């Protein structure tokens, strides 16, 4: 078990890990051109990693095969709205205006929201924050500490950075099915320094927009549930705007994809055929140092068995697809 050492900000890093060795959920890779190093970010915590509080870990690799780590790059501090013992989900790290910004979802299970939850869950504070560092290995420090960046009365998760064609930064995120039943993908404009949101949310699409019946339909007649997870946006070589997101199919996690028919964040969005089934999802796309597109995701869904898988991707100009052998 990795033991968190707060003095050195390291969780017993070791060399020679394969992806099959690394328990990881909601993986995110940064390909750092300056050092020719790939950084894999994932959530870390007490139960699996021996840390005294939740946070974010990174592993490093030169070839996407052999990995060194884990290194603790962020831990939830005391004195903010979130509870350090209640989880850190879906970390992403983006280069923006010369610094590195981490988007990560935090929680406070003891701070209730008004209203009734769906699926037997209660409503509580959950939302994405932004933390900043000058280095990919951190440490990252939260910018806004009193509340999440999306509206705090919304139960949200999986915030991601998108910079539009006019250079305006947005946080695109999921509005939790626990609160809405039919989960949604939404977005808020951010201030230019990423310190806070600068607009009310806009609605992009509903979870029920998937091109198959991805709903859980309770036998008691209560509202059907549609999950939205892991929204991330990319441009193809022909400048088509596409979004990865995840949902379910008959209880199995699915990596799917959507495309904006207008080429703008506001959509409208059309749903394309899923990329990966088999209890796989919350993936992201990245390019290797040779310019090849890759998809990394986790499978199966449940920790601690969850592991990363990498797929070769084809950019055909209109969308992205799994490269066929």
């Amino acid at each position: 078990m990795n033991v968190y050492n707060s003095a050195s900000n390291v969780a017993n890093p070791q060399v020679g890990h394969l992806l099959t060795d690394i328990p990881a959920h909601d993986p995110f890779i940064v390909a750092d051109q300056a050092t020719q190093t790939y950084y894999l970010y994932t959530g870390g915590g007490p139960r699996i990693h021996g840390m005294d509080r939740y946070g974010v870990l990174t592993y490093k690799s030169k070839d996407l095969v052999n990995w060194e780590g884990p290194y603790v790059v962020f831990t939830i501090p005391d004195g903010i709205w979130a509870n350090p013992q209640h989880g850190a989900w879906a970390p992403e790290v983006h280069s923006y205006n010369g610094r590195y910004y981490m988007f990560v979802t935090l929680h406070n299970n003891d701070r209730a929201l008004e209203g009734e939850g769906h699926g037997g869950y209660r409503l509580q504070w959950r939302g994405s924050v932004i933390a900043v560092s000058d280095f990919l290995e951190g440490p990252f420090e939260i910018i806004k500490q009193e509340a999440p960046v999306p509206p705090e009365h919304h139960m949200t998760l999986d915030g991601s950075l998108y910079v539009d064609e006019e250079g305006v930064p947005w946080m695109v995120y999921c509005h939790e099915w626990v609160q809405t039943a039919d989960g949604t993908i939404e977005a808020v404009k951010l201030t230019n320094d990423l310190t806070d949101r600068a607009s009310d949310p806009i609605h992009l699409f509903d979870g029920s927009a998937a091109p198959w019946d991805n709903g859980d339909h309770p036998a008691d007649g209560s509202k059907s549930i549609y999950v939205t997870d892991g929204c991330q946006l990319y441009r193809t070589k022909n400048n088509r705007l596409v979004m990865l997101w995840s949902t379910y199919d008959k209880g199995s996690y699915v990596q799917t994809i959507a495309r904006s028919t207008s080429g703008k964040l506001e959509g409208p969005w059309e749903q394309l055929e899923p990329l990966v089934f088999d209890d796989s999802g919350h993936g992201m796309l990245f390019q290797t140092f040779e310019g090849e597109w890759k998809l990394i995701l986790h499978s199966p869904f449940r920790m601690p068995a969850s592991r990363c898988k990498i797929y070769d991707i084809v950019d055909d100009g209109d969308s992205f697809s799994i490269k066929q052998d």
Side-chain angles (χ1 to χ4, degrees):
M1 174 177 290
N2 299 310
V3 179
Y4 172 58
N5 183 330
S6 59
S8 59
N9 202 37
V10 174
N12 278 353
Q14 298 176 5
V15 299
H17 296 293
L18 302 177
L19 288 179
T20 52
D21 302 325
I22 300 172
H25 213 62
D26 309 337
F28 192 89
I29 283 184
V30 173
D32 182 41
Q33 289 284 353
T35 62
Q36 295 287 287
T37 302
Y38 299 101
Y39 287 86
L40 167 63
Y41 294 91
T42 185
R47 183 169 63 92
I48 296 174
H49 304 99
M51 300 163 61
D52 61 4
R53 61 184 59 214
Y54 282 91
V56 175
L57 306 174
T58 194
Y59 294 80
K60 301 187 293 185
S61 176
K62 295 292 186 178
D63 57 9
L64 297 174
V65 175
N66 298 289
W67 295 85
E68 172 189 331
Y71 297 90
V72 178
V73 299
F74 167 76
T75 53
I76 304 171
D78 294 322
I80 69 166
W81 68 268
N83 190 313
Q85 301 301 326
H86 292 172
W89 292 357
E92 300 185 8
V93 174
H94 300 270
S95 176
Y96 178 81
N97 284 352
R99 304 189 80 188
Y100 297 104
Y101 290 84
M102 176 183 289
F103 288 51
V104 60
T105 301
L106 305 183
H107 316 258
N108 190 331
N109 302 343
D110 300 325
R111 193 166 181 176
L113 293 172
E114 292 185 2
E116 294 294 328
H118 299 280
Y121 291 90
R122 62 190 291 271
L123 302 184
Q124 61 207 35
W125 276 51
R126 173 178 296 166
S128 293
V129 301
I130 302 174
V132 65
S133 178
D134 291 320
F135 308 100
L136 283 167
E137 296 184 37
F140 286 84
E141 297 184 3
I142 292 179
I143 301 171
K144 180 183 178 182
Q145 300 192 359
E146 68 275 13
V149 173
E152 57 267 25
H153 59 283
H154 289 176
M155 200 169 172
T156 62
L157 71 165
D158 296 352
S160 184
L161 177 65
Y162 172 68
V163 180
D164 68 19
E165 58 277 8
E166 297 178 352
V168 176
W170 294 76
M171 179 184 282
V172 182
Y173 60 90
C174 302
H175 194 163
E176 181 74 277
W177 62 268
V178 174
Q179 189 170 43
T180 63
D182 193 350
T184 65
I185 308 289
E186 301 176 359
V188 290
K189 286 183 181 179
L190 300 174
T191 57
N192 287 334
D193 59 3
L194 306 191
T195 56
D196 205 351
R197 68 177 182 271
S199 75
D200 292 331
I202 63 170
H203 174 270
L204 303 184
F205 59 84
D206 298 322
S208 58
W212 70 94
D213 183 4
N214 62 326
D216 179 14
H217 310 292
D220 63 6
S222 56
K223 287 186 177 180
S224 295
I225 291 167
Y226 301 88
V227 172
T228 50
D229 277 347
C231 48
Q232 296 173 359
L233 292 101
Y234 304 90
R235 291 277 180 182
T236 71
K237 61 185 179 183
N238 289 348
N239 205 35
R240 301 299 298 272
L241 180 63
V242 301
M243 181 194 297
L244 294 186
W245 67 287
S246 287
T247 185
Y248 281 84
D249 176 41
K250 300 179 179 64
S252 179
Y253 212 39
V254 175
Q255 179 65 69
T256 192
I257 189 169
R259 179 172 59 206
S260 171
T261 59
S262 68
K264 296 183 180 294
L265 178 64
E266 293 84 350
W269 289 87
E270 59 180 340
Q271 303 299 324
L272 307 179
E273 288 300 311
L275 295 177
V276 186
F277 288 92
D278 302 323
D279 199 18
S280 303
H282 199 120
M284 61 86 63
L285 297 172
F286 67 97
Q287 284 184 282
T288 67
F289 300 124
E290 295 73 37
E292 298 174 342
W293 280 101
K294 303 282 186 179
L295 166 70
I296 186 169
L297 48 70
H298 70 252
S299 179
F301 179 80
R302 297 288 181 187
M303 289 286 269
S306 185
R307 294 294 186 271
C308 297
K309 294 183 179 180
I310 294 180
Y311 294 81
D312 294 328
I313 293 293
V314 175
D315 175 2
D316 65 10
D318 285 329
S319 185
F320 296 97
S321 60
I322 302 295
K323 185 177 182 179
Q324 302 300 316
D325 294 333

